[in-house]
Structure formats: C-alpha cells, structure tokens
Amino acid sequence: MIPRDQESTRSGGGWLHWLSTLTDMMAYPLKTSHYVELVNPLWTTHKMQARVEAVWDETSHARTITLRPGANWRGHRPGQHVRIGVAVDGKHYTRTYTVSSAPERGDGCFTITVKAIDGGRLSHYLVRKLKVGDYVPVGLPQGDFYLPDASPTQPLFITAGSGITPAMSMLRSMLAQQRMANSVHIHYAPSPQETIFGQELREIDAAQKHYTLHEIHTAALAADDPARHFSLENLARLCPDWQSRDCYACGPADLLRAVEATWEEAGLAHRLHIERFRADLAEVPDDAVGGRVRFANSDLEVEADSATNLLRVAEDAGLNPPHGCRMGICHTCNTTLKSGCVRDLRTGEVLNEAGAIVQTCVCAAAGDCELDL
Ligand code: FES
C-alpha cells in the first residue's frame, strides 16, 4: 500500500514537480521561487520567511511580535524555539527565540516575545525597530523542551524574566486544550510592571484552580533577603511536593545552575528539564590571555581578549560569518583552526591542533590564532 504522502506525489505531485523543474530551467540561473518572492515573499520555497503582522509591548523592554510564516512552515510544540534572522546595518544576524504562543491559535501565525538585552544588537532591533509589514527569515521549530503529549504530568515551572516564554506557550496550550495540569509556577521578575505576561498569568491563577502562581518581585526585596534568590528552603516553602513533580526551568544561568544543583543533589535530575538562552560558560581562568586573531580567507587580523567569543570578534571586525543558535548547539558556526590556540568557553578546554573544528560562538582566543574564515 502506498502511503498517503507518496500517493499524492505520484498523482498530483508528479506533474507539479515536472512543472516546477521546467520553470526552474526557464528561470536559470535562479529558481522560480526567486521570482515568486518578488510577488509574495511568503510563497517562496528556497527559503522560509515570515511577515510581521503585529507588535505589542509587554513591558518597557519586551515586545511580542506576531509572525505569519510562509510556505513549508510546520507547527511548533509548546516550548520549542525558532531561528529568526534580521539584517542590521547591512549585516545578517540570526538568533533563537522561543515561540510564546500556543500551537492551537488557529490563524496560521505564531508569536515570539523578545526582551532587549544589554549589548544585544538583534534584540534591540527586534524590540525597537521591527515594524508591521517587515519580512524576516525564520527557521523551523526545534528543541526538546516541551510537555509530554499523553501522560498526565504535574509540572513545576521555575522561570525568570524572559524565561517565561516557553512556559507561557505551554500554559496557553493547556488552556486551549482545556486540560490544565496541576501546575505550580515560581516566577522571578523585577516588579509587577516588568513581569512579561504578568496580567495574563495572574488571570490564569485566578481562574484555574489547578494552577498556582508564586511571583517573586526581586526589586522590592533587599539585596540580602534570602527570598530574592532560588534556594531549597524557598522551593520547599512554595512547592512542598516539588520532588514529585516534573520541573521545567528557564531563565538566567545563575538560576538554572542553582536549580540543577538542587535536583541533582536530590537524585532527581531525570525529572528536571532545562531550557537555556545562552551557553553555560565556565569561569575564564585569571591567567588566560587573548591574542591576535587572523581570519585567513578575509585577510583580516584583529586583537581579541580571552572571554569574547570568536563569532562576536569576527562580526565586530566587519565579517558576516555563518551562525545560528550562538550557544554551541547547532554547529552552523563551525570553522577550522589553521594555527594557534583557542579556548572552549564552556569547558575551558584549549584547542591547539591545526585542523581542529572550532565552534566560534563558544570559543575565544587563547593566544594568537588563525581561523579558516
Ligand atoms: S551558532 Fe550554533 S553552535 Fe555556534
């Protein structure tokens, strides 16, 4: 028996493929899709784009952007992320953002919620300058940070700042499916006004008997107040049955490190699911040195310190190297070390063999070095 998708390929798909091949031959050296893009960028098949349908300020530093993706898009699972590309000052940048909407929203759109971070070129552009009607390249949803489909689960969400976004997608999805799980949510934000989705979270808390929200507003607490930070004591107070729940945590590295240590110490690491926005970096040793970085293919040489990743060094030098996640996952930024030394900022490992593969987004100069860029 022929599977459905193959069957359609053999009947309708066959002549469509033939037609597409024919038009591609006529369009050579481009593809038909390149001309289609001039009519509607969402119809292209050689790359995926999305149109900005709406923007909405969640707080003074965070904005929700509604995107309508084009051909080839497939739905996300709540908690997954997508890659978004934007050209800023003539250079192309890519970043990964969690989808904040539920897959069930039904209008063909999805949202990302972006917080402008200090020194974040793309986040500032997305929050301050992107406007309705703009088109941005997008990738397909990825990631394994999501609730299981079938088995009943009792989630404990621990989030901070913009780490709320994957949890929000999960909550919205459970609400849309009218199957809100018995959930406890501990969320850290500076103040009620600076809490992304604050009002919506409070409304869910008021309306859903299975959902309990604990907001911790750090700006209102003294610097030495133990309630300000995550700790086992605070956890046990806010969620006494935490050991019997599956924990979904997302937020800054310090919070995630503390959560990870608590679950490991309790022998419950298998019940902890973590989503990081940045790579977890090791301390750079005090005696670490940077060096001169030579980009061989560009005939460019710049000075770099021991902590700045080589992707950033290359971009600051005016190059536009390939990249994706910027946190050591996707390997899009891989290049070859031609000579010299680099340090992997996650592990502290020093690479000094010519021919070694260097992930430029998580490696820094550890002396002079030459890269195949
Ligand atoms: S950009 Fe993804 S691993 Fe470096």
Side-chain angles (χ1 to χ4, degrees):
M1 186 170 158
I2 303 167
R4 273 223 167 142
D5 51 348
Q6 285 181 30
E7 195 174 24
S8 69
T9 304
R10 288 189 186 189
S11 52
W15 72 265
L16 269 179
H17 179 72
W18 178 84
L19 185 64
S20 149
T21 306
L22 183 69
T23 53
D24 278 351
M25 283 167 67
M26 293 184 341
Y28 184 81
L30 299 177
K31 285 188 171 274
T32 317
S33 176
H34 289 98
Y35 295 99
V36 168
E37 184 178 8
L38 300 175
V39 180
N40 186 337
L42 299 187
W43 293 346
T44 60
T45 53
H46 67 285
K47 63 181 176 185
M48 191 157 49
Q49 302 202 67
R51 185 175 57 230
V52 178
E53 296 284 284
V55 295
W56 169 260
D57 288 331
E58 300 285 351
T59 69
S60 57
H61 295 102
R63 171 170 280 189
T64 288
I65 299 160
T66 304
L67 295 166
R68 179 175 299 284
N72 300 332
W73 173 257
R74 63 168 158 72
H76 71 286
R77 298 186 68 154
Q80 286 192 308
H81 51 256
V82 293
R83 275 160 56 175
I84 305 281
V86 170
V88 182
D89 298 333
K91 282 193 223 159
H92 182 80
Y93 296 99
T94 306
R95 297 288 186 279
T96 300
Y97 293 100
T98 307
V99 178
S100 52
S101 54
E104 293 83 6
R105 70 177 267 154
D107 62 355
C109 295
F110 69 92
T111 63
I112 56 169
T113 302
V114 181
K115 184 173 175 194
I117 53 171
D118 290 343
R121 280 180 281 224
L122 196 64
S123 66
H124 274 269
Y125 183 88
L126 292 174
V127 172
R128 310 274 181 234
K129 300 205 172 144
L130 195 71
K131 53 188 190 314
V132 172
D134 285 353
Y135 288 87
V136 290
V138 293
L140 286 172
Q142 289 181 332
D144 52 11
F145 186 75
Y146 48 76
L147 295 174
D149 277 336
S151 59
T153 171
Q154 296 200 331
L156 162 61
F157 299 108
I158 301 179
T159 56
S162 57
I164 183 66
T165 47
M168 198 68 229
S169 180
M170 293 176 187
L171 291 170
R172 286 170 168 166
S173 179
M174 287 192 286
L175 281 175
Q177 294 178 44
Q178 299 185 321
R179 58 161 198 130
M180 175 60 74
N182 181 320
S183 317
V184 176
H185 191 169
I186 302 171
H187 182 59
Y188 296 83
S191 66
Q193 299 72 30
E194 288 301 308
T195 302
I196 299 170
F197 310 129
Q199 191 178 334
E200 188 174 346
L201 289 170
R202 285 165 217 136
E203 285 170 6
I204 299 172
D205 185 37
Q208 297 289 322
K209 66 175 190 291
H210 292 312
Y211 173 76
T212 304
L213 174 68
H214 298 286
E215 285 186 76
I216 297 162
H217 298 130
T218 51
L221 300 170
D224 59 352
D225 189 328
R228 197 181 159 106
H229 302 290
F230 174 85
S231 67
L232 178 57
E233 292 69 33
N234 292 334
L235 173 64
R237 180 171 51 83
L238 298 173
C239 182
D241 64 350
W242 67 275
Q243 299 200 8
S244 63
R245 291 177 177 272
D246 286 307
C247 179
Y248 293 81
C250 184
D254 286 354
L255 170 70
L256 297 182
R257 239 174 260 134
V259 168
E260 213 166 15
T262 302
W263 260 256
E264 266 169 23
E265 208 157 295
L268 293 168
H270 60 287
R271 302 200 75 162
L272 175 64
H273 312 269
I274 279 187
E275 177 76 333
R276 298 179 198 282
F277 288 152
R278 298 178 192 194
D280 192 14
L281 303 182
E283 287 275 310
V284 177
D286 288 343
D287 58 353
V289 291
R292 285 200 75 71
V293 180
R294 182 172 155 67
F295 300 105
N297 301 340
S298 315
D299 199 18
L300 197 66
E301 200 169 309
V302 292
E303 199 70 40
D305 62 37
S306 59
T308 306
N309 69 64
L310 292 161
L311 175 58
R312 181 82 190 222
V313 171
E315 287 174 341
D316 287 347
L319 302 183
N320 203 0
H323 63 274
C325 65
R326 303 182 81 97
M327 55 190 291
I329 296 172
C330 70
H331 291 270
T332 311
C333 66
N334 281 9
T335 191
T336 306
L337 181 67
K338 291 181 82 100
S339 65
C341 268
V342 302
R343 172 179 285 102
D344 189 317
L345 293 166
R346 297 166 300 179
T347 60
E349 183 193 0
V350 171
L351 308 176
N352 55 13
E353 275 187 31
I357 298 298
V358 175
Q359 284 177 272
T360 56
C361 71
V362 287
C363 287
D368 294 347
C369 57
E370 186 178 24
L371 300 174
D372 191 21
L373 273 177

